[in-house]
Amino acid sequence: MEGVDVAVWITMVLGGVLTWLLRGAFFVWGRPGDPARPGHGEGMGAWSRLLAFVPVAALSALVVPDLLGSGVTTWFQAGPRLYAGVGAIAVAALTRRTLPTFVAGFLLLWLFS
Amino acid sequence: MVKPDGYANWRANWRGFFVGVQALLPLWVGVLPFGVVYGAAAVSAGLGPWQAQAMSAVLFAGSAQFLFAQLWSVGTPPILILGAVLLINLRHLLYSASVAPYLVATPRRWKALLAYWLTDEAYAAAIPHLLAARPGQGPWILAGSGFALWAGWQCATAVGVFLGQSLPTHLPLDFALTLTFIAIVVPMLRHRQQLVVALIAGGVATLLVGLPYKLGLFAGALAGMGAAALGLALARRSPAKDL
């Protein structure tokens, strides 16, 4: 058991180091680049403009599969999560606030479940 | 009275830190239940309480922690677990590239700490404020959101580790995290291009949801970025329209 314990600790630490290396890849290890900030100034490069889309692309890739799951092809096949998610999206678009989005999402999930 | 520059900078920096903390706090509603579920799941999977808790401190990456515990419980070799952790966290490369322009003048030891704190939620909470931040405030905003998430995640893990077995199993706690990301991403959709990018990223990620190690998420995000690149090229001819 002791060997297994040591192995889990070592694997955990190596996993932590790998994750840290990925997260810092572009700013801890990368060369200092153009100090112009995305969204500001005339000198903004194409790369900076492209990076401004990262949050939308990455977060949408996290959200949509959670709502649709796999194998859902029609509205009628969808489950309570999709209905609640669509309602939460509508509330988020209208209010642009976190708390009403949570309340609406959980309320709709409870209703449709 | 004129304040010395150092004091003014100190105040501005801490203001940035608290902007980050404040931006992250509402997300606790979604993140803390997820942390509790992780703590309970890790102990159920056979990790010791201290190992489950330490993983939240060492790895500090929700999905990767779940995957680690699952794979460990079925005897997967460590090298494969590390490969899975690497793949599931690939999307953090995009976050790293995205925040890099705000950290150009930051000392490397500071950047090392910020890299440790750069999670999905901390990034998502900080990025709208980074866009509007004064020069030099970016690292502090990231530090505030990262620290607030880290502190909450450690506490939630401890609750899950020590009380997890007595928690009701029918509560849809994982849905809280989905709602968190909805609350963040929807207000960001201000132009037609952003909406198209979101639909493509979400659509591709859904189509590829069966890929192992959540690679579909990374593929979806890359597809969205590809669409964004195409959109930017087309936008040179005609400007983006507001929603």
Side-chain angles (χ1 to χ4, degrees):
Chain A
M1 280 308 284
E2 211 169 277
V4 174
D5 264 1
V6 172
V8 80
W9 285 109
I10 291 174
T11 312
M12 194 189 299
V13 170
L14 288 177
V17 171
L18 273 178
T19 304
W20 178 67
L21 289 173
L22 279 178
R23 289 173 177 167
F26 280 88
F27 60 87
V28 181
W29 323 116
R31 272 185 324 163
D34 178 8
R37 295 176 302 153
H40 295 262
E42 293 294 317
M44 189 173 65
W47 176 241
S48 298
R49 281 198 295 271
L50 185 61
L51 289 179
F53 286 92
V54 170
V56 167
L59 297 179
S60 302
L62 283 168
V63 167
V64 180
D66 254 9
L67 298 182
L68 288 173
S70 55
V72 176
T73 52
T74 69
W75 179 253
F76 299 103
Q77 274 184 308
R81 274 178 179 252
L82 179 58
Y83 304 138
V86 170
I89 287 169
V91 171
L94 288 172
T95 65
R96 298 185 180 272
R97 291 175 59 200
T98 304
L99 201 57
T101 306
F102 270 110
V103 172
F106 273 119
L107 198 64
L108 289 169
L109 187 69
W110 175 71
L111 278 174
F112 288 117
S113 299
Chain B
M1 194 176 94
V2 178
K3 308 269 187 200
D5 276 357
Y7 178 71
N9 284 340
W10 182 85
R11 276 193 60 175
N13 291 342
W14 280 103
R15 202 177 301 127
F17 181 84
F18 287 111
V19 164
V21 171
Q22 214 172 357
L24 195 285
L25 285 184
L27 306 191
W28 272 14
V29 183
V31 172
L32 298 195
F34 192 55
V36 173
V37 172
Y38 157 72
V43 173
S44 300
L47 291 176
W50 286 111
Q51 290 170 335
Q53 184 69 51
M55 202 184 327
S56 275
V58 175
L59 202 53
F60 188 41
S63 310
Q65 289 178 223
F66 271 100
L67 190 69
F68 189 117
Q70 273 173 3
L71 294 177
W72 191 266
S73 70
V74 295
T76 308
I79 190 74
L80 293 184
I81 295 179
L82 289 175
V85 166
L86 186 73
L87 289 174
I88 205 169
N89 285 333
L90 269 180
R91 65 187 184 282
H92 292 165
L93 278 176
L94 293 176
Y95 304 155
S96 181
S98 173
V99 301
Y102 303 96
L103 303 175
V104 171
T106 309
R108 186 161 281 184
R109 62 179 183 280
W110 246 108
K111 291 180 184 175
L113 179 63
L114 294 176
Y116 168 65
W117 276 336
L118 189 65
T119 56
D120 292 320
E121 296 83 1
Y123 168 78
I127 196 75
H129 299 280
L130 290 179
L131 294 170
R134 290 175 7 185
Q137 249 189 347
W140 290 85
I141 294 172
L142 276 169
S145 66
F147 172 75
L149 181 78
W150 181 87
W153 184 252
Q154 305 310 315
C155 295
T157 301
V159 171
V161 165
F162 295 106
L163 302 176
Q165 306 310 313
S166 55
L167 291 171
T169 53
H170 64 277
L171 294 176
L173 294 178
D174 57 323
F175 192 58
L177 203 65
T178 306
L179 291 176
T180 300
F181 291 128
I182 287 175
I184 294 166
V185 77
V186 171
M188 287 181 181
L189 303 176
R190 292 175 184 274
H191 304 288
R192 192 170 294 176
Q193 281 178 355
Q194 289 166 320
L195 185 62
V196 170
V197 167
L199 290 174
I200 289 175
V204 171
T206 305
L207 286 173
L208 301 178
V209 77
L211 288 183
Y213 310 128
K214 295 199 175 185
L215 273 178
L217 299 184
F218 187 60
L222 277 186
M225 294 303 291
L230 189 64
L232 285 174
L234 293 173
R236 284 183 187 164
R237 295 176 197 164
S238 59
K241 292 175 181 166
D242 288 342
L243 283 178

